[in-house]
Amino acid sequence: MDRLLFLLATGLARGAVFALFALSLVLIWRAARIVNFAQGAMALAATYAAFAATALSGSYLVGLLVGILSGAAIGFIVERGVMRFAPPGRPLTGVIAAIGLVMVLQSLLGIAFGPQYRPMRAPFDDSPILVAGVPLLSPYDLFVLVVALAVMAGLALLFARTSLGLQLRASAFAPEVSRVLGVRVGRMVTIGWMLSAAVAALAAILLMPTELGLNPHATDVLFVYAFTVAVVGGLDSPAGALFGGLIVGVAMTLVTGYLGASVAPIGVLVLLVAVLLVKPGGVFSLREARSA
């Protein structure tokens, strides 16, 4: 029983990171109708910037801020310098461009930093807190969970309660009508890319201290799991990203804890295939996805 409670608590923390990264994929999909396969590589580049800033300043918070801002800057550059030139109405072109961008970014990171793993230290203790003799979340797990939920709540308020959020949603769902009403759709798409890349960078930075460390391929598995979460929850559903992330995170942790780490990827693949067969729009999608 103690082991089960520990795995459930740990799964919630990991699931919150998956949900955060999946939310970044949902933001891009809603803004540009593109599954950004370069999201992991972009987040990794921002994480390297955070690592360098932390090493220079000695402050985790400075590194975290630099990483988030770097993610937004990378999103701006990718949208303005690459994706804006992809022909509209041909999503395959954007997918191919994103895959090419993955190769370029990973090669550049490998040249600049080498293939070795660089450990990132957590800003708080990562030893589980004992509650009635039962090990639960560590202080760092609590930090990750609180930050992830706070960011998702902040994004929900942004889209539901602010003029910018209204313009972002209008540009995504009715771009032609939005242009007629004076909304600068191109600018909104750029902001959507910047928000998405910043959120993905935050998720990668939060996850990295619990993994082996920084490496040019360190976010590959994170992207696969987050993509699964986005599909399970529904690419048009921010709420689906949240609940899907928690479900996948807990399920993965339970499978790893009881059956071994090698079984977890198989379980995720089975879940992805099952959802695609039963409800391709996503478990939490309440309506048919809009056409591009």
Side-chain angles (χ1 to χ4, degrees), residues 8 11-20 145 149 152 229 240-253:
L8 288 174
L12 287 176
R14 173 160 289 197
V17 175
F18 293 160
L20 200 59
L145 190 58
L149 293 178
M152 286 185 275
V229 168
L242 170 60
F243 292 108
L246 296 178
I247 290 171
V248 170
V250 170
M252 271 188 54
T253 305

Side-chain angles (χ1 to χ4, degrees), residues 15-41:
V17 175
F18 293 160
L20 200 59
F21 200 100
L23 181 59
S24 74
L25 295 175
V26 170
L27 290 174
I28 285 294
W29 176 257
R30 289 167 67 95
R33 308 308 288 173
I34 291 175
V35 178
N36 183 23
F37 286 95
Q39 196 83 319

Side-chain angles (χ1 to χ4, degrees), residues 89-117:
R90 298 175 63 182
L92 183 59
T93 305
V95 170
I96 294 173
I99 294 174
L101 186 60
V102 172
M103 298 178 182
V104 171
L105 286 175
Q106 289 182 341
S107 297
L108 291 176
L109 291 173
I111 293 170
F113 298 99
Q116 68 272 18
Y117 282 92

Side-chain angles (χ1 to χ4, degrees), residues 132-154:
V134 179
L136 295 177
L137 293 172
S138 69
Y140 183 69
D141 288 334
L142 286 173
F143 171 75
V144 169
L145 190 58
V146 169
V147 169
L149 293 178
V151 170
M152 286 185 275

Side-chain angles (χ1 to χ4, degrees), residues 28-231:
I28 285 294
W29 176 257
R30 289 167 67 95
R33 308 308 288 173
I34 291 175
V35 178
N36 183 23
F37 286 95
Q39 196 83 319
M42 292 164 59
L44 183 61
T47 306
Y48 269 104
F51 176 83
T54 300
L56 289 173
S57 66
S59 171
Y60 175 83
L61 292 179
V62 170
L64 184 64
L65 180 60
V66 169
I68 294 172
L69 293 177
S70 297
I74 292 170
F76 176 87
I77 293 170
V78 168
E79 195 279 327
R80 289 297 179 100
V82 179
M83 294 302 179
R84 182 156 291 200
F85 297 100
R90 298 175 63 182
L92 183 59
T93 305
V95 170
I96 294 173
I99 294 174
L101 186 60
V102 172
M103 298 178 182
V104 171
L105 286 175
Q106 289 182 341
S107 297
L108 291 176
L109 291 173
I111 293 170
F113 298 99
Q116 68 272 18
Y117 282 92
R118 297 170 179 267
M120 287 186 71
R121 294 182 178 179
F124 306 108
D125 186 13
D126 57 0
S127 301
I129 299 172
L130 294 177
V131 178
V134 179
L136 295 177
L137 293 172
S138 69
Y140 183 69
D141 288 334
L142 286 173
F143 171 75
V144 169
L145 190 58
V146 169
V147 169
L149 293 178
V151 170
M152 286 185 275
L155 288 172
L157 289 175
L158 170 68
F159 283 100
R161 301 288 183 179
T162 67
S163 173
L164 175 61
L166 177 61
Q167 293 181 66
L168 287 168
R169 286 190 293 141
S171 299
F173 284 95
E176 297 302 327
V177 175
S178 299
R179 287 189 180 95
V180 172
L181 295 175
V183 177
R184 303 184 67 172
V185 174
R187 177 177 292 180
M188 293 301 108
V189 171
T190 301
I191 293 174
W193 273 86
M194 293 174 67
L195 274 176
S196 171
V199 171
L202 174 61
I205 294 169
L206 291 176
L207 183 66
M208 210 54 62
T210 64
E211 301 296 317
L212 294 175
L214 273 176
N215 176 273
H217 299 276
T219 55
D220 290 353
V221 174
L222 172 60
F223 175 82
V224 172
Y225 290 156
F227 177 69
T228 301
V229 168
V231 172

